[in-house]
Amino acid sequence: MKSSIFLDFRLSYNICVMGKLFHSFFSIGTSETYRSEINRMIIVSNKLSIVFGFLTLPFLFLFNIAGYTLQANLIIPLFLILFFCVYLNYIKFHILSKVLFVLISNSAIYFYSSSFGAVAGIQTLYFGMICLPLVLFDTSTVWVRRFLMAVPVCLSIYTEAFESLGFNVLILQKEISLITFFLVHIITFIIITF
């Protein structure tokens, strides 16, 4: 009985410590002098960069298994750039961080959706990307918000019109294609929930 209570206490303590660690990690770049709305957007920006970065890692293994080393190796710089966005928040370049996050993630979607074609479902991420500038930018940066909302719309139209975008469409194995499709929809759902 005592060991059960002790384990429950340890579990609660560990969850509390992890929660504080995540909160401090997500709060990088916030300040007490900022309005609460600005701090909220910085936290959301950090969360999206970190979550999006970690959600790209399974693609590294999937594309390596499928034998597409170029596509797999490009995941590593993508992961590092997404964490560089968090660093930009840390050094108080908040708008640049958010703009870089939206542009680099759209570029990645553009490249991977054009490489693997419509079957992989990567182009469905554009739906979430259209919503993203509304969440990341306030009314003082309307012009940035409008520009960044236009980027995924234009890329989505271009992808639909020209499908392969000049790249050779690579055929994914059926199992990997299904896993990719599933992961992409999870990422899209996460982006939209923010």
Side-chain angles (χ1 to χ4, degrees):
M1 182 70 178
K2 284 184 178 180
S3 63
S4 173
I5 293 170
F6 178 73
L7 287 175
D8 288 343
F9 175 75
R10 287 286 291 178
L11 182 63
S12 300
Y13 175 76
N14 288 338
I15 290 171
C16 183
V17 168
M18 289 300 290
K20 287 180 182 177
L21 181 69
F22 280 125
H23 179 71
S24 62
F25 200 56
F26 292 146
S27 298
I28 290 173
T30 59
S31 173
E32 291 178 6
T33 59
Y34 295 154
R35 290 184 332 217
S36 61
E37 185 67 19
I38 293 172
N39 281 333
R40 184 194 66 79
M41 285 188 283
I42 293 168
I43 290 169
V44 169
S45 171
N46 286 338
K47 282 181 180 179
L48 282 169
S49 297
I50 293 165
V51 169
F52 202 80
F54 280 115
L55 287 174
T56 58
L57 290 179
F59 293 108
L60 174 68
F61 303 109
L62 280 175
F63 297 147
N64 267 324
I65 291 168
Y68 301 120
T69 53
L70 171 66
Q71 286 78 7
N73 291 336
L74 287 174
I75 295 288
I76 296 165
L78 173 63
F79 178 81
L80 294 174
I81 291 170
L82 290 170
F83 277 86
F84 181 67
C85 292
V86 176
Y87 176 73
L88 285 174
N89 276 332
Y90 174 71
I91 60 172
K92 309 298 184 208
F93 287 95
H94 307 299
I95 292 176
L96 180 62
S97 169
K98 292 183 268 190
V99 169
L100 180 65
F101 171 72
V102 173
L103 290 178
I104 199 68
S105 51
N106 276 297
S107 301
I109 295 163
Y110 168 83
F111 174 74
Y112 286 103
S113 62
S114 61
S115 292
F116 297 108
V119 182
I122 296 170
Q123 73 283 356
T124 59
L125 272 167
Y126 283 129
F127 182 68
M129 288 298 165
I130 292 168
C131 305
L132 204 54
L134 292 171
V135 175
L136 292 177
F137 295 93
D138 62 358
T139 53
S140 66
T141 52
V142 171
W143 61 274
V144 178
R145 184 194 289 183
R146 289 179 182 163
F147 169 74
L148 291 175
M149 284 180 73
V151 170
V153 171
C154 293
L155 287 174
S156 180
I157 291 168
Y158 195 75
T159 305
E160 290 300 319
F162 299 101
E163 285 190 30
S164 70
L165 307 172
F167 299 111
N168 294 326
V169 176
L170 304 169
I171 307 300
L172 284 173
Q173 300 163 12
K174 187 177 179 182
E175 296 81 10
I176 291 175
S177 184
L178 284 170
I179 294 168
T180 303
F181 199 79
F182 180 69
L183 281 171
V184 162
H185 281 81
I186 289 173
I187 295 170
T188 307
F189 176 76
I190 288 169
I191 291 169
I192 292 171
T193 55
F194 276 106

